[in-house]
């Protein structure tokens, strides 16, 4: 089955699940149940496969729980980070779901048991709260236990019907595609936004390639506004697994999305000891100070979010912000995220950050920060993308590439605003578009109407304006008009009009006479 066929089948089946519970669960809440059930199925199958160890004579799902010895359990938790008894496996629960009058409480107990199995082990913080948003007793599922069980059973049945063999053998990103499909259908529901939590896969591919460009190995990769982890995972998907030596690191402020990011790591076979996701405010409570610097940083931070800024007098002395001599405006924290990333970046690495276009031309504190970045030669490239690439916003965003190892003092500007393909309600970047951007990013060649490398003096003389349109001339697509030819045509028309008037005057004179 091709990736296109798998994706279409996945969307069809998810929509069928939605139809089965339509009218009872808000679309945005429904998303949590589908993704949570997908995750439950995955870790069940993944754990059973680990226990069976490739021995076809063993079927873990059919074993009685009491054959599990303490040593087996202890060893499994140390390796996988959690434990699931045979009776708790997704396949056993889904098979009898419609006949189980205690389904909702059984699921709640299973999820609690899986999480608590890691207590006291190194994986405890990676497992704790993973199912917090999968509330099986919520009235959102129905007012009665029977209603709740009916809808839960429908979701279990639907996810059980997804027939894509082993998760890791899929041609598609099953979890990412499911999340993207659900967001595209439900982000506008009841005025809620979901695009801020998810970077579309086509944009993620470009960002990952920019951050990892020409690095044969990176020590670790980091996202200070990790969302659902999609940017970090693109790095794994598009590069050899061993190129990222010490794992994946991220911080996320939204609890629900933080849980999704951890689920996403497990779904992509990244073991608990190879990732570290933390919950918290990156700007005010930054983690991983002891882990930095990072060779690769990727991020899509929230656009123009408010922060405490100058009202906290300690921040101007923070090692992340102090070098710039000024804090990002309180109403627009964009550059606070940029400076945070720069502080965490290694001398050989790159950071690729999605940015709101306004930060590249506005005055005040933002201009002073741009001056600091340009004067210290930290900006490698600014790329303008096309419109409507993200869910929930039609803004044509930019990508800022930071580097501490530039060999000249030029800054590259790429106008990729015309590179997009319309697909469903949003635009996407195709593989050809990404290749075109990466080719000129690598060569730093000047390409008319597309890319230009600009000397430091030209940028400083332009008040440190970093808008791509200030340096890359837009192609004039207007029709070229030949003035001489147009004048000749007008002269002919005027002559015909004069002759027509004379003919009309003659006719009128004859009638009146």
């Amino acid at each position: 089955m091709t990736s296109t066929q798998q994706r279409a089948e996945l969307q069809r089946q998810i929509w069928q699940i939605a139809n089965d519970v339509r009218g009872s669960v808000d679309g945005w809440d429904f998303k949590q149940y589908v993704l949570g059930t997908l995750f439950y199925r995955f870790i069940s199958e993944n754990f059973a496969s680990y226990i069976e160890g490739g021995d076809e004579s063993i079927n873990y799902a059919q074993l009685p729980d009491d054959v599990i010895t303490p040593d087996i359990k202890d060893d499994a938790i140390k390796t996988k980070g959690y434990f699931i008894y045979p009776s708790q496996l997704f396949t056993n629960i889904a098979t009898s779901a419609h006949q189980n009058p205690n389904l909702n409480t059984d699921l709640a107990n299973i999820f609690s048991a899986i999480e608590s199995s890691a207590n006291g082990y190194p994986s405890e913080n990676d497992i704790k709260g993973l199912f917090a948003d999968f509330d099986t007793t919520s009235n959102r599922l129905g007012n009665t236990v029977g209603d709740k069980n009916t809808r839960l059973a429908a979701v279990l049945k639907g996810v059980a019907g997804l027939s894509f063999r082993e998760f890791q053998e899929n041609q598609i990103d099953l979890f990412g595609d499911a999340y993207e499909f659900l967001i595209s259908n439900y982000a506008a529901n009841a005025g809620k936004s979901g695009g801020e939590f998810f970077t579309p896969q086509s944009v993620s591919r470009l960002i990952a390639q920019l951050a990892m460009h020409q690095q044969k190995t990176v020590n670790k990769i980091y996202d200070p506004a990790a969302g659902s982890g999609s940017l970090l995972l693109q790095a794994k998907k598009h590069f050899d697994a061993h190129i990222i030596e010490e794992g994946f690191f991220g911080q996320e402020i939204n609890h629900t999305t933080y849980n999704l990011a951890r689920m996403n790591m497990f779904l992509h076979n990244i073991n608990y000891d190879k990732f570290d996701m933390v919950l918290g405010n990156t700007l005010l409570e930054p983690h991983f100070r002891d882990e930095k610097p990072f060779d690769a940083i990727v991020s899509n931070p929230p656009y123009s979010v408010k922060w405490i800024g100058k009202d906290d007098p300690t921040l101007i002395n923070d090692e992340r912000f102090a070098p710039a001599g000024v804090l990002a405006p309180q109403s627009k924290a964009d550059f606070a995220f940029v400076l945070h990333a720069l502080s965490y970046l290694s001398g050989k690495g790159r950071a690729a950050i999605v940015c709101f276009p306004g930060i590249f031309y506005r005055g005040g504190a933002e201009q002073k920060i741009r001056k600091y970045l340009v004067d210290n030669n930290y900006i490698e490239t600014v790329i303008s993308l096309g419109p409507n690439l993200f869910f929930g916003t039609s803004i044509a965003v930019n990508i800022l590439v930071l580097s501490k190892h530039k060999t000249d003092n030029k800054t590259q500007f790429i106008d990729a605003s015309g590179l997009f393909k319309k697909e469903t309600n949003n635009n996407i970047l195709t593989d050809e578009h990404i290749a075109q951007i990466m080719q000129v990013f690598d060569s730093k060649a000047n390409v008319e109407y597309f890319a230009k490398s600009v000397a430091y003096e030209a940028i400083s003389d332009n008040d440190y304006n970093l808008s791509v349109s200030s340096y890359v001339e837009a192609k004039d697509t207007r029709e070229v008009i030949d003035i001489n030819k147009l004048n000749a045509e007008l002269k002919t028309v005027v002559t015909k009009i004069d002759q027509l008037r004379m003919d009309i005057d003659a006719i009128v004179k004859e009638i009146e006479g």
Side-chain angles (χ1 to χ4, degrees):
M1 188 181 288
T2 66
S3 60
T4 301
Q5 291 171 325
Q6 283 189 349
R7 191 169 290 111
E9 178 64 10
L10 172 68
Q11 293 176 359
R12 184 194 66 77
Q13 290 177 301
I14 289 176
W15 199 245
Q16 183 59 53
I17 301 171
N19 286 334
D20 289 342
V21 296
R22 188 182 298 278
S24 60
V25 182
D26 175 273
W28 195 242
D29 295 327
F30 166 72
K31 169 183 65 70
Q32 299 304 126
Y33 292 105
V34 173
L35 294 173
T37 304
L38 267 173
F39 178 66
Y40 174 38
R41 175 182 163 181
F42 170 79
I43 63 170
S44 291
E45 294 179 1
N46 187 274
F47 188 82
S49 178
Y50 161 73
I51 293 292
E52 291 165 2
D55 187 341
E56 295 183 0
S57 67
I58 301 174
N59 186 333
Y60 185 64
Q62 294 181 359
L63 296 178
D65 289 354
D66 58 15
V67 304
I68 305 300
T69 66
D71 286 344
I72 291 175
K73 183 176 181 181
D74 179 68
D75 184 65
I77 298 172
K78 288 178 180 176
T79 303
K80 299 300 293 180
Y82 59 91
F83 192 86
I84 306 177
Y85 282 99
S87 65
Q88 298 171 332
L89 292 172
F90 171 84
T91 184
N92 288 330
I93 299 301
T95 299
S96 60
H98 282 290
Q99 293 81 39
N100 185 354
N102 303 312
L103 178 62
N104 68 325
T105 54
D106 283 353
L107 282 172
N109 291 334
I110 289 171
F111 297 157
S112 176
I114 293 173
E115 291 184 12
S116 63
S117 70
N119 290 350
Y121 288 85
S123 59
E124 181 175 351
N125 290 332
D126 298 308
I127 305 297
K128 183 184 297 182
L130 272 175
F131 291 98
D133 296 298
F134 198 133
D135 187 355
T136 64
T137 62
S138 171
N139 286 335
R140 293 177 299 179
L141 288 167
N143 293 322
T144 68
V145 172
D147 288 342
K148 292 180 177 67
N149 288 341
T150 297
R151 277 139 200 165
L152 285 169
V155 176
L156 288 166
K157 178 184 176 183
V159 171
L162 296 175
S163 53
F164 293 142
R165 305 185 310 277
E166 297 294 325
F167 277 75
Q168 59 268 29
E169 293 179 11
N170 293 319
Q171 298 298 314
I172 62 173
D173 176 358
L174 185 63
F175 197 66
D177 280 338
Y179 189 39
E180 193 165 316
F181 176 68
L182 288 161
I183 282 180
S184 66
N185 280 278
Y186 292 122
N189 187 289
K192 297 175 182 176
S193 171
E196 63 188 296
F197 302 140
F198 188 80
T199 306
Q201 292 180 52
S202 65
V203 180
S204 296
R205 286 196 291 273
L206 172 61
I207 293 171
Q209 290 184 41
L210 288 166
M212 304 278 284
H213 184 62
Q214 288 188 342
Q215 298 198 69
K216 293 182 179 179
T217 61
V218 300
N219 60 351
K220 43 205 163 188
I221 187 167
Y222 168 60
D223 187 342
S228 62
S230 56
L231 279 170
L232 292 171
L233 291 166
Q234 283 297 336
K236 177 183 186 296
K237 188 173 183 180
H238 288 275
F239 298 91
D240 184 89
H242 299 292
I243 197 173
I244 302 170
E245 297 170 338
E246 298 176 45
F248 303 78
F249 297 76
Q251 184 164 349
E252 171 56 36
I253 195 171
N254 180 282
H255 193 277
T256 295
T257 319
Y258 158 70
N259 285 337
L260 287 174
R262 291 188 295 160
M263 288 183 183
N264 226 346
M265 293 293 142
F266 283 109
L267 280 164
H268 286 80
N269 273 331
I270 299 175
N271 213 33
Y272 75 91
D273 58 345
K274 287 297 182 183
F275 75 84
D276 195 347
M277 303 296 301
V278 295
L279 179 67
N281 187 321
T282 296
L283 299 182
L284 304 183
E285 302 166 354
H287 287 256
F288 308 123
R289 288 184 187 269
D290 295 335
E291 293 287 349
K292 68 176 186 175
F294 294 87
D295 289 343
I297 297 177
V298 292
S299 195
N300 176 20
Y303 309 144
S304 301
V305 69
K306 294 179 180 179
W307 76 311
I308 192 170
K310 63 183 180 181
D311 283 350
D312 182 346
T314 66
L315 287 174
I316 192 59
N317 296 315
D318 189 298
E319 63 181 0
R320 298 169 296 164
F321 311 126
V326 65
L327 296 173
Q330 290 176 292
S331 60
K332 306 174 185 69
D334 307 72
F335 265 127
F337 285 102
V338 170
L339 291 173
H340 171 90
L342 180 66
S343 172
Y344 277 47
L345 184 63
S346 76
K348 64 169 273 217
R350 281 190 178 89
I353 308 167
V354 179
C355 295
F356 184 80
I359 72 169
F360 293 103
Y361 59 80
R362 291 189 295 239
E366 292 180 319
Q367 183 186 38
K368 293 177 181 177
I369 294 173
R370 292 197 303 272
K371 182 179 186 302
Y372 162 72
L373 294 172
V374 174
D375 285 352
N376 287 276
N377 207 25
Y378 289 138
I379 298 181
E380 180 172 2
T381 304
V382 181
I383 305 170
S384 62
L385 297 182
N388 205 32
L389 289 169
F390 290 76
F391 298 108
T393 178
S394 60
I395 295 172
V397 301
N398 290 1
I399 296 177
L400 174 65
V401 183
L402 301 175
S403 170
K404 294 181 179 178
H405 60 273
K406 291 171 61 180
T407 56
D408 59 31
N409 69 348
K410 293 183 177 181
T411 298
Q412 183 187 41
F413 296 89
I414 299 175
D415 182 359
S417 59
L419 301 183
F420 60 86
K421 175 186 177 184
K422 184 169 180 55
E423 188 172 275
T424 62
N425 295 324
N426 284 83
N427 296 327
I428 65 165
L429 290 170
T430 66
D431 290 341
E432 290 74 20
H433 294 151
I434 294 172
Q436 188 175 346
I437 294 170
M438 290 305 302
Q439 192 278 326
V440 77
F441 174 75
D442 176 66
S443 69
K444 297 296 187 289
N446 290 331
V447 180
E448 189 176 23
Y449 309 126
F450 185 58
K452 186 176 182 180
S453 290
V454 180
Y456 163 78
E457 293 76 15
I459 296 174
S460 61
D461 290 345
N462 194 24
D463 295 325
Y464 295 94
N465 186 319
L466 294 174
S467 296
V468 173
S469 59
S470 294
Y471 304 99
V472 181
E473 181 184 0
K475 187 174 184 178
D476 190 347
T477 57
R478 295 174 299 178
E479 181 182 358
V480 178
I481 298 174
D482 185 330
I483 297 299
N484 293 328
K485 182 180 179 182
L486 179 61
N487 286 335
E489 290 176 352
L490 286 173
K491 186 175 181 179
T492 300
V493 171
V494 169
T495 300
K496 289 181 178 179
I497 290 174
D498 289 342
Q499 182 61 49
L500 183 60
R501 283 174 176 167
M502 290 173 60
D503 292 344
I504 292 173
D505 288 344
I507 294 172
V508 171
K509 186 175 181 179
E510 183 178 339
I511 293 173
E512 290 177 344

